[in-house]
């Protein structure tokens, strides 16, 4: 009998066997209609084989495609995602073959993906590469031609011209009749790269992110599946696209945490997925960064990735000077020296950027007498003070529910509430007082039309003198007239409940510093901090990423954190807190018994930092798996007894610790 192994869209960690009726054509990767209990489902054939079933099988009802929707590479990816992310195979197939792909035979007009070369935007062929760029490009082109899976880490200081290297490498992949996947961490960055690449490459280039319409995504998906489109520029989910001729994968800003999928399963990391795809396709993977993740840095140290450095900036301008200074006294946000430098820029008609870690006005409002804090009843976290019409309000940063700012403490009637901490709005308010006449622009999660790049264009067009923003401003935007960057609160990130807090601080400071002095004029960076000697801050100030990594890696090893382990976060949620706590305790005890002998370490369980969400209580634990220890850990975790009232979610390589 011919048997089809079918992935069905159900939240179960297994595939199902069906009989293939005699005489039917069915190839792996084709969609099928199958009976599933009382229902009819559309599944995907993972494999077709000859065998004798132990018990009678139900029969396939229809084959829906005339050729495979997922090729063998796609099927391998689905299995890899299911294994690596502990996700139901049905969810993994759905991620790779989205439901909006209806017919594989829908016509695609490939002209829609070809941009005419616009005057003045001709390919930058005459452009002289730096020695570093030329050497890296030559070596990478050689690796590309080998047609075997290779990983390269392109470590280039800010403004060292990584984009030009990517562009020429992509052209090489196209010349070799291949396809290239170019991944960026933010949707708002994809459009400018897409425009530049389409203008320079002269082949069908596809833009991809989750905010595009279904028709546009369907056409892009089909054009890539058929090999008509040669390049895709996209955010995280582009790593899931079908690329039968894949020759080159590039992740720019590879350290960025946005590459991790949150929310909807599979909770993949686009970097791991991209590396796996390059391995499967025999393609070259290039991870680019000025401040690589310690995971990638370690790959290079171990020789599993080849390191290429771009130590020079493209222009002759020197790296910005960095000054570390203490924050001002109480009641003030910006040090006098920083204000002075801002005034200088204003008088010279140059632009400045101020980085603030939090949006809103203050970070915490607390009663001075009894310590009362207004916690969101739905999320259990302290609300943040925000500006509102005619005054202030309190807002939950998790669910965005708003409430009034009380005039006195609701608990003890004390009228003296203290608002502490600095948000973007407070910095803007201080600038209005101190720099009257300066045109200010705020750039944070509350800014309207942020995703379509409108505020970015306004700052680029010099419609503002000072940009005040959260870490969004540090992303790889290019603002030629910025000569000053101020970091208002370099310390706040160091105190996050996350083992990556030092790495993130170092990366953010180095990145935002890279926004300064990008064309011609030398830039300046002022960091306000109480901890100038901290290894993240001191090395960021010196611009020495290697020294930071050398100091941080031994700490990671000592504590058993990545890159020396693989983490799995276990999150239990349910409507009754005692049941959630009891399930977490029982599961952790079982895991300790099961895994104790294999070098795993389990931290927790404990109530999550965000103890309540959508009326469900949350407890979590962190499992540190030694090398080769992930698979047994996931098997053990999946074998834990389940209950209807408490749900257990597994997150491999977690970035969210709240
Ligand atoms: Zn009080
Ligand atoms: Zn809330």
């Amino acid at each position: 009998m011919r048997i089809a192994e079918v992935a069905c869209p159900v939240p179960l960690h297994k595939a199902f066997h069906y009989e293939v009726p005699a005489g039917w054509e069915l190839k792996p990767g084709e969609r099928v209609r199958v009976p599933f209990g009382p229902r009819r489902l559309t599944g995907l054939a993972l494999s077709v084989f000859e065998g004798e079933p132990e018990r009678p099988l139900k029969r396939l009802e229809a084959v829906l495609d005339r050729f495979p929707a997922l090729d063998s590479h796609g099927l391998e990816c689905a299995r890899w995602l299911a294994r690596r992310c502990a996700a139901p195979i049905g969810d993994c197939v759905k991620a790779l073959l989205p439901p909006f792909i209806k017919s594989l035979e829908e016509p695609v007009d490939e002209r829609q993906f070809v941009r005419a070369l616009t005057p003045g935007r001709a390919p930058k062929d005459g452009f002289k590469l730096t020695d570093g760029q030329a050497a890296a490009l030559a070596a990478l082109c050689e690796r590309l031609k080998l047609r075997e899976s290779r990983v390269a880490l392109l470590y280039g200081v800010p403004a060292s011209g990584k984009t030009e290297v990517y562009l020429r490498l992509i052209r090489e992949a196209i010349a070799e009749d291949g396809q290239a996947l170019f991944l960026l961490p933010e949707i708002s960055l994809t459009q400018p790269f897409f425009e530049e690449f389409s203008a320079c490459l002269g082949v069908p280039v596809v833009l991809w992110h989750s905010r595009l319409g279904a028709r546009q995504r369907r056409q892009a998906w089909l054009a890539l599946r058929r090999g008509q489109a040669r390049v895709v520029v996209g955010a995280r989910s582009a790593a899931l696209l079908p690329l039968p001729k894949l020759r080159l994968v590039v992740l720019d800003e590879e350290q960025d945490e946005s590459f991790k999928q949150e929310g909807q399963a599979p909770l993949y990391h686009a970097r791991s997925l991209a590396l796996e795809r390059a391995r499967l396709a025999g393609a070259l993977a290039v991870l680019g960064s000025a401040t690589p993740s310690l995971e990638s840095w370690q790959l290079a140290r171990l020789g599993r990735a080849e390191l290429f450095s771009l130590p020079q900036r493209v222009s002759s301008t020197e790296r910005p000077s960095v000054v570390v200074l203490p924050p001002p006294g109480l009641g003030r946000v910006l040090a006098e020296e920083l204000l002075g430098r801002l005034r200088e820029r204003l008088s010279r008609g140059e632009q400045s950027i101020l980085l603030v870690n939090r949006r809103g006005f203050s970070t915490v409002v607390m009663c001075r007498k009894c310590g009362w804090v207004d916690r969101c009843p739905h999320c259990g976290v302290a609300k943040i003070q925000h500006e509102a019409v005619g005054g202030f309000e309190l807002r939950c940063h998790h669910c965005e529910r708003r409430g009034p700012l009380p005039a006195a403490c609701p608990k003890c009637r004390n009228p003296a509430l203290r608002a502490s901490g600095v948000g973007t709005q407070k910095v803007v308010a201080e600038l209005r007082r101190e720099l009257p006449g300066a045109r200010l622009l705020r750039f944070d999660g509350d800014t309207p039309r942020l995703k379509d790049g409108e505020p970015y264009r306004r700052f680029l067009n010099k419609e503002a003198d000072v940009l005040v923003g959260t870490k969004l401003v540090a992303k790889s935007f290019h603002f030629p007239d910025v000569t000053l960057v101020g970091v208002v609160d370099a310390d706040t990130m160091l105190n996050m409940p996350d083992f990556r807090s030092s790495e993130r601080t170092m990366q953010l400071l180095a990145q935002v510093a890279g926004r300064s002095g990008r064309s011609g004029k030398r830039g300046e960076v002022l960091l306000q901090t109480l901890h100038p000697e901290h290894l993240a801050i001191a090395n960021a100030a010196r611009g020495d990423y290697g020294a930071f990594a050398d100091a941080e890696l031994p700490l990671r090893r000592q504590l058993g954190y990545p890159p020396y382990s693989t983490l799995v976060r276990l999150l239990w949620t349910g409507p009754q807190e005692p049941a959630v706590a009891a399930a977490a305790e029982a599961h952790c005890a079982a895991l300790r018994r099961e895994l104790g002998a294999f070098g795993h370490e389990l931290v927790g369980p404990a109530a999550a930092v965000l103890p309540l969400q959508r009326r469900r209580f949350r407890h979590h634990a962190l499992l540190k798996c030694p090398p080769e220890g992930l698979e047994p850990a996931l098997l053990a975790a999946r074998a834990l007894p389940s209950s209807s009232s408490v749900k257990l979610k597994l997150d491999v390589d977690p970035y969210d610790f709240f």
Side-chain angles (χ1 to χ4, degrees):
M1 181 194 290
R2 278 167 79 230
I3 299 173
E5 180 198 15
V6 177
C8 293
V10 290
L12 295 170
H13 289 275
K14 60 182 212 175
F16 297 86
H17 287 178
Y18 289 91
E19 180 186 346
V20 183
W24 284 29
E25 285 274 338
L26 176 66
K27 290 185 281 299
E30 291 176 345
R31 286 173 293 189
V32 290
R33 195 169 62 234
V34 295
F36 195 89
R39 292 183 289 167
R40 297 284 174 279
L41 296 178
T42 297
L44 184 100
L46 295 171
S47 63
V48 184
F49 58 94
E50 287 289 337
E52 278 313 313
E54 286 170 17
R55 44 196 171 74
L57 295 180
K58 290 185 183 166
R59 303 176 104 196
L60 295 185
E61 293 189 346
V63 178
L64 304 175
D65 293 320
R66 284 199 293 179
F67 55 92
L70 290 187
D71 60 9
S72 59
H73 176 119
L75 292 170
E76 288 285 342
C77 279
R79 292 187 194 272
W80 181 86
L81 282 169
R83 265 198 325 273
R84 171 77 204 194
C85 309
I89 183 79
D91 285 347
C92 301
V93 167
K94 197 166 139 199
L96 291 159
L97 178 58
F100 55 75
I101 306 300
K102 302 238 160 56
S103 163
L104 296 176
E105 278 138 89
E106 178 178 323
V108 172
D109 180 5
E110 78 180 69
R111 280 172 308 180
Q112 68 183 309
F113 300 116
V114 185
R115 298 284 162 118
L117 300 182
T118 46
R121 296 205 59 180
K124 292 189 240 166
D125 269 330
F127 189 91
K128 178 95 176 65
L129 297 177
T130 64
D131 292 349
Q133 281 176 314
L137 181 67
L140 288 168
C141 284
E142 208 178 282
R143 308 299 181 271
L144 184 80
K145 291 198 172 102
L146 289 175
R147 292 184 177 249
E148 56 189 51
S149 128
R150 293 279 179 133
V151 183
L153 176 58
L154 185 62
Y155 166 48
V157 300
S160 58
K162 288 191 287 295
T163 305
E164 192 57 36
V165 174
Y166 299 148
L167 187 58
R168 293 184 189 216
L169 198 54
I170 291 172
R171 207 180 278 161
E172 200 63 35
I174 295 167
E176 296 266 306
D177 192 35
Q179 286 177 313
L181 167 63
F182 186 80
L183 294 167
L184 287 156
E186 282 284 323
I187 291 178
S188 51
L189 292 171
T190 54
Q191 187 73 32
F193 274 93
F194 166 67
E195 279 167 19
E196 179 166 3
F197 285 9
S198 329
C200 296
L201 292 170
V203 296
V205 177
V206 157
L207 174 70
W208 182 272
H209 55 72
S210 55
R211 295 165 71 93
L212 297 174
R215 186 182 178 276
Q216 201 179 346
R217 280 198 277 171
R218 199 162 63 228
Q219 289 273 301
W221 195 96
L222 290 168
L224 289 166
R225 174 70 184 88
R226 296 172 192 171
Q228 289 171 290
R230 308 294 295 281
V231 179
V232 52
V233 174
R236 178 182 60 232
S237 60
L240 297 160
L241 289 168
L243 295 155
K245 296 179 177 175
L246 184 63
R247 296 297 308 281
L248 173 68
V249 180
V250 178
L251 257 92
D252 193 30
E253 304 293 342
E254 64 84 26
Q255 81 291 343
D256 200 294
E257 64 200 74
S258 318
F259 282 122
K260 177 69 199 300
Q261 162 76 5
E262 305 288 358
Q264 177 103 34
L267 303 179
Y268 64 95
H269 195 299
R271 189 204 304 129
S272 319
L273 175 57
L275 293 183
E276 177 63 12
R277 296 196 62 171
R279 195 186 69 76
L280 288 168
L284 172 67
V286 180
L287 309 174
S289 180
T291 54
S293 63
L294 286 176
E295 285 85 348
S296 300
W297 191 257
Q298 181 74 347
L299 282 184
R301 286 180 45 156
L302 297 175
R304 289 188 216 146
E306 218 175 332
L307 181 66
F308 297 94
S309 299
L310 299 178
Q312 297 158 272
R313 291 164 75 96
V314 171
S315 66
S316 52
T317 329
E318 280 175 73
R319 153 171 198 273
S321 69
V322 181
V323 178
V324 176
L325 69 166
L330 273 183
R332 298 285 302 279
V333 178
L334 304 171
E336 205 41 61
E337 195 177 345
L338 179 51
L339 284 169
R341 303 293 166 94
L342 284 164
R343 290 190 190 102
E344 262 172 45
R345 290 331 188 266
L346 214 51
S347 69
R348 294 208 297 253
E350 294 169 8
Q351 290 177 297
S352 309
I353 293 178
L354 291 180
L355 175 75
V356 190
N357 265 312
R358 298 289 286 264
R359 63 194 170 98
F361 196 83
S362 298
T363 46
V364 176
V365 177
M366 190 194 268
C367 170
R368 280 172 190 271
K369 220 163 134 191
C370 73
W372 169 87
V373 171
D374 190 7
R375 289 188 184 277
C376 173
H378 302 272
C379 310
V381 294
K383 290 187 193 164
I384 307 294
Q385 184 186 13
H386 272 249
E387 285 176 332
V389 184
F392 290 104
E393 64 182 8
L394 290 174
R395 224 193 268 179
C396 170
H397 271 195
H398 286 281
C399 67
E400 298 296 324
R401 281 190 177 83
R402 298 146 188 237
L405 178 68
C409 171
K411 209 167 137 196
C412 73
R413 301 280 141 216
N414 165 33
L417 295 179
R418 187 180 63 189
S420 57
V422 180
T424 46
Q425 295 173 353
K426 193 186 267 184
V427 173
V428 168
E430 184 157 317
L431 287 174
R432 274 199 206 109
R433 282 196 306 276
E434 298 288 339
L435 270 67
R439 296 166 306 159
L440 310 174
L441 188 64
R442 214 184 71 214
F443 205 115
D444 60 31
D446 296 319
T447 307
R449 305 195 57 195
L450 196 66
K451 289 281 183 197
D452 64 18
E454 171 66 21
Y456 160 80
R457 276 191 290 276
R458 285 180 55 202
F459 194 58
L460 194 63
N461 294 340
K462 297 195 78 171
E463 289 170 38
D465 306 300
V466 186
L467 174 62
V468 177
T470 52
K471 63 180 177 190
L472 295 169
V473 302
K475 306 276 174 172
S476 44
F477 295 121
H478 181 66
F479 298 119
D481 286 308
V482 170
T483 57
L484 173 69
V485 166
V487 179
V488 177
D489 49 353
D491 301 331
T492 46
M493 285 192 79
L494 290 174
N495 303 323
M496 298 297 262
D498 179 344
F499 74 94
R500 285 193 182 88
S501 60
S502 288
E503 182 185 338
R504 283 179 168 169
T505 304
M506 164 82 205
Q507 287 164 342
L508 180 63
L509 295 180
Q511 271 190 328
V512 77
R515 299 306 101 205
S516 173
R518 286 176 75 91
S519 48
K521 299 165 218 148
R522 188 173 184 201
E524 197 175 16
V525 179
L526 271 70
L527 301 180
Q528 296 192 154
T529 176
L530 288 168
H531 305 286
E533 75 300 336
H534 188 283
L535 72 96
I537 290 176
N539 285 310
R542 282 197 293 271
D544 195 342
Y545 187 78
F548 166 76
D550 288 344
E552 178 73 5
L553 280 169
L555 302 176
R556 293 276 182 93
R557 183 202 285 270
Q558 205 179 341
L559 296 169
Y561 278 120
Y564 298 97
S565 67
T566 306
L567 296 184
V568 182
R569 185 192 190 210
L570 298 101
L571 180 69
W572 293 268
T573 62
Q576 306 291 333
E577 183 160 34
V580 174
E585 287 290 347
H587 283 175
C588 284
L591 286 176
R592 284 197 172 93
R593 276 198 305 276
E594 185 82 10
L595 297 169
F598 301 101
H600 292 74
E601 191 192 332
L602 185 61
V603 185
V609 182
L610 193 58
L612 185 61
Q613 210 176 19
R614 287 185 212 98
R615 300 182 186 202
R616 293 175 75 86
F617 291 89
R618 296 151 50 89
H619 281 235
H620 66 172
L622 199 58
L623 184 59
K624 299 174 184 175
C625 305
E628 316 297 322
L630 178 62
E631 221 156 308
L634 294 178
L635 277 177
R638 284 223 300 269
L640 292 169
S642 60
S643 92
S644 55
S645 59
V646 180
K647 232 172 91 181
L648 168 59
K649 187 175 116 177
L650 302 177
D651 184 1
V652 182
D653 302 323
Y655 277 69
D656 175 5
F657 297 95
F658 288 88

